Amino acid sequence: MQKIHQPGLTPPLEKLNHALTGGAAKVIPEHPPDASSKKFYTALADVMPVGVFYTDASCNCQYINQRLSQMIGMTLEAAMGGGWLKGLYPEDRDRVAHEWLHAIDREIPFESEFRLQRQDGSITWVFGQAIAEGSGKDKIYIGTVTDISNHKSIEQALQQSETNFRAIFEKAAVGFSYSDLEGKIFLVNQKYADTLGYTTAELTSMRLQDITYPPDRNNDDSYFRQLLAGKIANYSIEKRFLRRDGSHIWVNLTMAPIQIDSSGTQYFISSIQDISDRKRADDAMRQQFEREQLVGAITRRVRKSLELEQILATTVEQARQVLQADRVLVCKIARSGTGLVVAESVSNPWNSLLNTYFSAEAIPPECLQSYLEGHITYITDRKSDPILPCMSELMAKLQVEAILAVPIIQENESLWGLLIAHQCSRSRDWQAWEVTLQLQLADQLAIATKQSELYQQLQLELNERKRAEEQLRQTNDRLAVTNIELARATRLKDEFLANMSHELRTPLNAILGMSEGLLEEGYAPLVEKQKKAINTIAKSGNHLLELINDILDLAKIEAGKLDLQIASVRLERLCDTSMTFIKQQAQKKNITLTTKISGDSEPVFMDERRMRQVLINLLSNAVKFTNEGGSVTLEVSLDKAKREINFNVIDTGIGIASKDIKKLFEAFVQIDSSLSRRHDGTGLGLALVRRIVEMHGGKVSVESEVGQGSKFQVNIPWWQSSQMKLDLLASEHHRYHHYKVAMIGDSEQELDALSWHLADMGIRSVSYCDMGKAWHGLLQLDVDLVVMNIRSLSQNHLKMLSHIQSNPHTNYIPLLIISSIEEQKQLAALLQFHPSVEYLARPFLEWQVCEAVNRIKNAERSVHLAPKHNHPCLSVLIAQESDTNVAAIANHLQAFDDRYQIVQARTGQRAIELARCLNPPLILLDMQIPEMDGLAVISHLREIPELDTARIIAISSINARGDRERCLRSGANEYFTKPVMLKSLLSVMGRLLHTPHSS
């Protein structure tokens, strides 16, 4: 048999191949098994789940079963001899050949793991083993090949898992460690070492107890015992560990049991995660929560309670607990600088300071001023901090090492007191949150103190009001009695007038009737002398009847018993009938009578009888007081624009002196002069005229000059139909079609009601309850009227009115102020120089609003119709009690420059309030102003930062030595003594207003 040669085989395989091909003929047994026996063993081998083979002594394959044939992907014939070597994975061939020869040479069993590769490229991991049978030339090798692919996959997966775990363990962002039952550490990752500041080598020589913060060493004992007992699978807690530098660190520790070998020994794996930042954040949040809880509790107590003593006691107690201070107290500061401890919370063993009085020397003026400006006192160590000697001595006396004092400043920027924290046992570096807490508490205490003061003031006012109400009740009781008596007197007067009307008219009727009969000579002829006597009787009787009628009519009007009978009237007829009554009287004096009626001849509505009475009275007086040869004219016109009927009675008579005009319309009053006394009269005619005209809703006036005649004017509303009000509203809709009104107030409900009233007149309106939005709206809109509905006058209302007056876009707009009478008095000084202001007192009715708007619309004021200025207004505050002086300065100043807006303050305190509100560039101050010394007013004004650039002119009536220097030193810019030359004053004012401020 030829030697098999396969090119490309490595030396071990060539050696094995030589052994396989070298004496192949010699291994053929001389006595092969019989056929039946061979068939049995072949069948047995083919059903085995492992590969079976045997070779001769030279390693030539003699047999493989079907399982091995499947593994190597070749038939028995292909595997015979050395063919089976092709079934080995190329990378494993050298190793397997080496191991096989090694086993043959040493005559030991062959065992090896290697890979088989089929022709399709698939690979199978197998475990091969073979043993020798026989000896010499009869030796054969029988072996098996077992598929271990699944085992190898599991083994590789385990290896990969271990590699991955090692990478995770070493690179994890969490610290890991292994320890035994005694807590000894035998393995840690780098993160664990870095977290604690040790090296891994240092930690593996330590126990967990060695790195645990001493106070926390027993924190997880109960958990660890449950872990050992199997009651829990793991546990996680927060605790502190010691770092190598001695500091401690907060970590989240997780512990779980684990077995890492087959000995049954129990180990523990633990992880730690640094949570120091979170713990610090939690502490900060907890402190913030405690502060907010404290401030919220104090705030709620302030809102619910008016007991200042209780609020102060609660505040200092809770503040001391949160701050962990030795003492917290509230010291009330008087204006003199003295102090009194009014609330305190102190811990043992420190002495109480409650009710302790501190003299003014304890708080130096510079400290007091610092507190007034809102600064705090912050002392961490009295022995090392730079502080005033008096403060150091006081702290030493009170055994205080550190102090934190915060001022309690009320809304009027006055210092009420101090909220003070003491640390007595040691020095203390006060934290920012502690200062913030004290400031917040001080703000709440400022509200509480102001609230308490207002409550006390309210109690006093309530007591005063109760006394006033009691007095009012008593007055009302007396008035009730008086009213009963007045009602009785009125009833008696009515009865008297009725009786008088009857008793007087009855005999007069007889006198006049008989006189008329006698004059007609019904009884007997009369001689001329008798006729003259009877004429005198008749004339006197008629005069007496007129007097009685006037008295009764006036009494009815005063008692409200006279009703107007409104009906359609033609003016021509009214004038003609009125003139008829005076024609005879005028003819006797040769007086010319003239009637002039202008406008359309159309009916109007009025009480014809009463208006005739008015005209007859006026015409009779005109004829009576006009000399012979004079003239009397009745002019009538219809004013459609104003919807008025105008009656003018003009005479060329004796005239009336201006000082006597105001007496004309008073009942039973006649002008007492030599001229007037020559004419008879009762003095009731013009009084009746005024009453009747007013009942028609009109007015009567007079223009006269002595020796030049008189002109009486009667103006009444012009109604064209019986539906008077409907006609009025219709006309108002047309009149106010383009009229726009801005309404500002505190009550949205009341503004809505006002809007409906104005809408009935055809007026468009916009409402604002927010002052900021209102001001923005006034600047954006072009309005014709501003209505301010004030329920309770406040600084916001004053500021809004000040803005309206001082801004060139709004200072021309008319104002309608709806408020109480007391508030109107307060606003009078602020608005006295506004071009158009109307006031309406509460409570008011719908028609009163309409009338007020009508008055504003019809007012003969040109100021609000002037074009807007293109240059800003200059507010000037005049602090002067005398209205006359202020008016003189205002008139000259506004004539000099119409940009000036003048505001008057009659007291020193009011001057300070208005200056703070208006921030005027110029202030004229009378040094003798009521309530405050002028120098004190200047000092207060100079303490207001917003008035730093304001110019102050001091005006004094005291021309004493040094007075000028004192005023200028206090902060005045200029000084004048009374009497002041207005020209000089205006010159200085102009210079100050237009000269840049120099600080």
Side-chain angles (χ1 to χ4, degrees):
M1 186 174 182
Q2 281 187 330
K3 186 175 182 178
I4 300 172
H5 176 70
Q6 297 185 21
L9 295 178
T10 57
L13 288 176
E14 288 183 353
K15 186 176 181 180
L16 178 60
N17 185 53
H18 176 73
L20 289 173
T21 56
K26 299 179 180 179
V27 300
I28 300 173
E30 296 178 4
H31 305 287
D34 57 41
S36 61
S37 175
K38 181 177 180 182
K39 184 177 180 181
F40 171 77
Y41 287 114
T42 301
L44 180 63
D46 284 341
V47 299
M48 294 183 68
V50 297
V52 178
F53 69 91
Y54 75 86
T55 67
D56 57 18
S58 299
C59 297
N60 287 306
C61 178
Q62 299 297 312
Y63 171 77
I64 61 174
N65 67 348
Q66 291 183 5
R67 177 58 179 155
L68 184 56
S69 175
Q70 294 171 355
M71 288 182 182
I72 61 177
M74 60 178 63
T75 62
L76 174 61
E77 291 76 10
M80 293 298 288
W84 65 278
L85 291 173
K86 297 179 181 179
L88 288 175
Y89 187 67
E91 294 182 4
D92 294 349
R93 288 174 184 173
D94 286 346
R95 177 175 61 80
V96 172
H98 178 76
E99 291 175 354
W100 181 273
L101 294 174
H102 178 75
I104 292 175
D105 291 342
R106 284 179 167 66
E107 295 183 351
I108 60 176
F110 167 77
E111 291 183 352
S112 179
E113 291 181 358
F114 52 90
R115 287 169 287 185
L116 299 178
Q117 183 178 32
R118 290 187 289 272
Q119 290 181 355
D120 61 4
S122 59
I123 298 171
T124 304
W125 270 98
V126 298
F127 173 70
Q129 54 185 356
I131 57 175
E133 289 291 339
S135 59
K137 62 181 181 179
D138 295 328
K139 181 185 292 186
I140 63 174
Y141 295 94
I142 300 173
T144 61
V145 178
T146 304
D147 187 347
I148 61 170
S149 297
N150 291 337
H151 172 73
K152 273 296 185 180
S153 298
I154 293 172
E155 184 180 281
Q156 289 174 352
L158 288 175
Q159 289 177 352
Q160 185 63 41
S161 176
E162 183 177 358
T163 301
N164 294 340
F165 175 76
R166 172 61 63 180
I168 293 172
F169 183 80
E170 291 297 336
K171 303 296 184 181
V174 178
F176 287 105
S177 72
Y178 287 94
S179 58
D180 59 16
L181 188 60
E182 302 299 326
K184 186 179 184 308
I185 302 171
F186 61 87
L187 180 63
V188 296
N189 68 348
Q190 190 61 43
K191 182 64 177 179
Y192 198 99
D194 294 342
T195 301
L196 299 179
Y198 291 94
T199 65
T200 54
E202 289 173 333
L203 286 172
T204 52
S205 64
M206 304 174 72
R207 299 183 307 160
L208 288 176
Q209 290 85 343
D210 298 333
I211 58 175
T212 300
Y213 191 60
D216 295 353
R217 285 177 180 170
N218 298 324
N219 287 3
D220 54 349
D221 281 354
S222 61
Y223 292 105
F224 193 71
R225 287 194 296 269
Q226 293 181 62
L227 198 67
L228 289 176
K231 294 181 178 180
I232 56 176
N234 56 64
Y235 68 85
S236 180
I237 64 170
E238 294 179 357
K239 63 184 297 184
R240 287 168 290 186
F241 275 2
L242 285 171
R243 292 175 55 86
R244 193 176 189 279
D245 59 8
S247 62
H248 67 269
I249 182 174
W250 274 99
V251 301
N252 186 289
L253 170 69
T254 301
M255 181 78 75
I258 190 172
Q259 289 185 353
I260 57 177
D261 56 29
S262 59
S263 64
T265 303
Q266 195 168 29
Y267 297 92
F268 300 91
I269 182 172
S270 62
S271 66
I272 61 171
Q273 187 173 8
D274 185 0
I275 60 171
S276 298
D277 291 341
R278 181 173 65 79
K279 292 296 286 187
R280 283 191 290 270
D282 289 346
D283 289 342
M285 291 180 64
R286 177 183 55 79
Q287 293 172 354
Q288 177 68 18
F289 178 74
E290 290 178 353
R291 295 198 301 272
E292 291 176 353
Q293 287 288 95
L294 174 57
V295 174
I298 298 301
T299 302
R300 289 190 294 272
R301 185 174 294 276
V302 167
R303 290 177 179 174
K304 293 182 179 179
S305 175
L306 295 172
E307 297 295 333
L308 180 60
E309 184 177 347
Q310 183 181 4
I311 293 173
L312 294 177
T314 303
T315 301
V316 295
E317 177 62 28
Q318 295 185 358
R320 186 180 66 82
Q321 293 178 5
V322 173
L323 295 175
Q324 294 296 300
D326 293 327
R327 182 190 292 114
V328 175
L329 57 87
V330 173
C331 182
K332 187 175 182 180
I333 306 298
R335 290 192 176 184
S336 60
T338 60
L340 177 67
V341 179
V342 295
E344 180 192 43
S345 174
V346 61
S347 61
N348 291 326
W350 311 107
N351 297 328
S352 174
L353 300 179
L354 188 62
N355 297 323
T356 299
Y357 172 82
F358 295 100
S359 64
E361 290 74 15
I363 306 178
E366 55 267 34
C367 294
L368 200 62
Q369 181 62 31
S370 177
Y371 287 134
L372 187 59
E373 293 173 357
H375 300 156
I376 66 173
T377 295
Y378 181 97
I379 300 174
T380 60
D381 189 345
R382 70 173 178 85
K383 298 175 183 177
S384 60
D385 286 1
I387 58 178
L388 296 174
C390 59
M391 180 66 72
S392 179
E393 293 173 4
L394 180 62
M395 291 177 66
K397 181 180 178 181
L398 300 178
Q399 296 181 315
V400 177
E401 297 299 325
I403 187 172
L404 175 60
V406 177
I408 301 172
I409 300 178
Q410 293 181 334
E411 61 180 8
N412 58 356
E413 298 184 3
S414 63
L415 177 65
W416 185 91
L418 301 173
L419 176 61
I420 305 173
H422 284 167
Q423 195 68 38
C424 304
S425 57
R426 56 179 173 81
S427 60
R428 176 167 178 169
D429 187 11
W430 302 99
Q431 302 298 312
W433 70 266
E434 295 171 333
V435 176
T436 301
L437 174 63
Q438 289 290 83
L439 288 171
Q440 291 174 334
L441 293 178
D443 288 341
Q444 295 303 316
L445 291 183
I447 296 173
T449 56
K450 188 63 177 179
Q451 184 174 272
S452 177
E453 292 176 0
L454 292 175
Y455 176 71
Q456 293 175 2
Q457 182 180 350
L458 178 61
Q459 291 298 106
L460 293 176
E461 292 178 357
L462 288 176
N463 292 334
E464 290 293 330
R465 181 173 293 181
K466 287 181 180 178
R467 285 194 291 271
E469 288 175 353
E470 179 60 25
Q471 293 176 357
L472 181 60
R473 186 188 62 78
Q474 296 174 1
T475 303
N476 288 337
D477 292 342
R478 290 193 296 270
L479 286 175
V481 175
T482 304
N483 287 336
I484 294 174
E485 295 175 351
L486 287 174
R488 180 175 176 273
T490 301
R491 179 173 54 81
L492 292 175
K493 185 183 74 171
D494 291 343
E495 293 175 358
F496 171 76
L497 289 174
N499 290 332
M500 285 293 295
S501 176
H502 174 73
E503 295 298 331
L504 292 175
R505 290 176 189 269
T506 298
L508 276 176
N509 183 59
I511 294 171
L512 294 176
M514 294 186 71
S515 299
E516 184 179 0
L518 289 172
L519 288 173
E520 292 178 356
E521 299 182 358
Y523 299 100
L526 299 176
V527 298
E528 191 64 27
K529 190 174 182 179
Q530 289 174 325
K531 289 182 179 180
K532 288 182 179 180
I534 294 173
N535 272 324
T536 301
I537 293 173
K539 184 177 180 180
S540 298
N542 283 317
H543 179 70
L544 184 59
L545 180 61
E546 291 176 3
L547 176 61
I548 292 171
N549 288 335
D550 285 349
I551 292 174
L552 294 177
D553 285 346
L554 187 61
K556 286 183 179 180
I557 293 174
E558 295 292 346
K561 298 293 181 67
L562 184 65
D563 295 325
L564 296 180
Q565 303 299 320
I566 304 295
S568 177
V569 176
R570 300 200 68 84
L571 293 176
E572 294 88 345
R573 180 174 177 275
L574 175 64
C575 294
D576 291 343
T577 56
S578 299
M579 281 291 193
T580 301
F581 274 87
I582 64 166
K583 277 184 179 180
Q584 186 177 0
Q585 182 183 357
Q587 288 173 356
K588 289 180 180 180
K589 300 177 68 175
N590 196 26
I591 294 174
T592 303
L593 298 180
T594 306
T595 302
K596 297 179 180 179
I597 301 176
S598 62
D600 298 334
S601 178
E602 53 184 298
V604 295
F605 282 78
M606 64 180 68
D607 188 325
E608 183 175 4
R609 175 171 172 267
R610 294 300 175 184
M611 283 306 300
R612 184 180 296 111
Q613 188 175 358
V614 168
L615 295 180
I616 289 172
N617 268 292
L618 294 176
L619 290 169
S620 297
N621 281 344
V623 172
K624 182 191 303 183
F625 294 103
T626 299
N627 296 325
E628 290 189 8
S631 65
V632 173
T633 303
L634 172 60
E635 293 181 350
V636 184
S637 63
L638 299 178
D639 189 338
K640 292 186 177 181
K642 295 183 178 180
R643 304 204 59 79
E644 288 180 348
I645 306 173
N646 301 321
F647 297 91
N648 295 327
V649 177
I650 306 168
D651 64 60
T652 60
I654 60 177
I656 307 168
S658 58
K659 63 183 180 63
D660 295 324
I661 288 179
K662 62 182 181 180
K663 302 177 184 178
L664 285 176
F665 300 100
E666 297 181 13
F668 304 105
V669 174
Q670 284 187 305
I671 301 173
D672 189 16
S673 68
S674 58
L675 279 175
S676 63
R677 294 312 300 167
R678 290 203 303 266
H679 305 276
D680 59 354
T682 63
L684 293 177
L686 292 180
L688 275 171
V689 166
R690 181 171 66 86
R691 302 295 199 284
I692 294 172
V693 170
E694 288 177 349
M695 289 181 68
H696 277 80
K699 61 182 179 179
V700 59
S701 61
V702 60
E703 298 176 4
S704 182
E705 187 176 346
V706 175
Q708 300 298 320
S710 302
K711 178 181 178 181
F712 284 82
Q713 297 175 318
V714 173
N715 308 101
I716 63 172
W718 175 21
W719 310 119
Q720 291 178 295
S721 70
S722 58
Q723 300 295 321
M724 295 178 289
K725 189 169 183 178
L726 294 178
D727 290 345
L728 172 66
L729 292 179
S731 64
E732 293 295 345
H733 271 280
H734 176 73
R735 179 183 179 191
Y736 291 109
H737 181 65
H738 298 291
Y739 203 67
K740 289 177 289 185
V741 176
M743 295 191 296
I744 305 170
D746 308 318
S747 170
E748 186 175 349
Q749 186 176 4
E750 289 190 5
L751 292 183
D752 289 342
L754 285 172
S755 297
W756 282 106
H757 296 341
L758 297 179
D760 287 341
M761 300 175 65
I763 296 177
R764 294 176 296 166
S765 62
V766 58
S767 302
Y768 300 99
C769 284
D770 181 88
M771 294 297 173
K773 292 181 180 178
W775 178 241
H776 181 73
L778 290 181
L779 295 178
Q780 298 297 321
L781 302 174
D782 186 16
V783 300
D784 301 290
L785 173 65
V786 174
V787 178
M788 183 165 285
N789 183 34
I790 301 174
R791 294 180 61 88
S792 179
L793 187 62
S794 67
Q795 289 294 326
N796 289 334
H797 296 115
L798 294 175
K799 289 182 179 179
M800 174 57 72
L801 291 172
S802 172
H803 289 330
I804 291 174
Q805 287 198 102
S806 60
N807 194 288
H809 297 286
T810 58
N811 60 7
Y812 66 95
I813 302 176
L815 297 174
L816 173 57
I817 307 296
I818 303 174
S819 65
S820 66
I821 295 176
E822 291 75 12
E823 290 170 338
Q824 291 175 11
K825 293 178 181 178
Q826 298 180 44
L827 291 171
L830 178 63
L831 300 176
Q832 62 180 322
F833 297 108
H834 194 79
S836 180
V837 183
E838 284 281 345
Y839 295 97
L840 187 59
R842 293 177 177 276
F844 59 90
L845 300 175
E846 172 186 349
W847 64 270
Q848 291 176 310
V849 177
C850 298
E851 276 196 354
V853 175
N854 280 332
R855 287 196 300 271
I856 293 172
K857 187 73 170 62
N858 297 330
E860 296 179 354
R861 296 174 179 172
S862 60
V863 177
H864 68 286
L865 298 176
K868 299 180 182 179
H869 293 296
N870 292 323
H871 47 269
C873 276
L874 300 174
S875 296
V876 177
L877 173 62
I878 304 180
Q880 165 72 258
E881 185 180 17
S882 171
D883 295 339
T884 305
N885 291 341
V886 173
I889 296 174
N891 291 335
H892 282 76
L893 189 60
Q894 289 181 332
F896 176 72
D897 191 334
D898 62 359
R899 290 179 299 166
Y900 291 118
Q901 192 76 24
I902 310 301
V903 179
Q904 181 184 5
R906 292 185 171 85
T907 66
Q909 184 60 43
R910 185 60 177 162
I912 296 172
E913 294 173 358
L914 287 175
R916 191 190 302 275
C917 176
L918 303 178
N919 192 15
L922 181 62
I923 301 171
L924 273 66
L925 174 62
D926 187 346
M927 300 303 291
Q928 284 71 47
I929 194 167
E931 289 190 2
M932 291 182 69
D933 178 71
L935 294 176
V937 174
I938 295 176
S939 298
H940 278 80
L941 293 175
R942 287 310 183 197
E943 290 174 357
I944 301 173
E946 292 80 2
L947 299 175
D948 184 54
T949 60
R951 273 56 168 200
I952 300 176
I953 298 178
I955 303 176
S956 176
S957 60
I958 302 174
N959 191 11
R961 179 179 298 178
D963 190 49
R964 174 186 178 86
E965 288 70 22
R966 283 192 295 272
C967 291
L968 297 179
R969 191 163 52 248
S970 296
N973 298 92
E974 287 292 344
Y975 176 87
F976 281 88
T977 57
K978 297 179 181 178
V980 180
M981 300 301 293
L982 289 179
K983 185 176 182 180
S984 300
L985 178 61
L986 294 178
S987 175
V988 172
M989 291 170 62
R991 175 172 54 81
L992 291 178
L993 283 172
H994 299 93
T995 301
H997 178 71
S998 57
S999 56

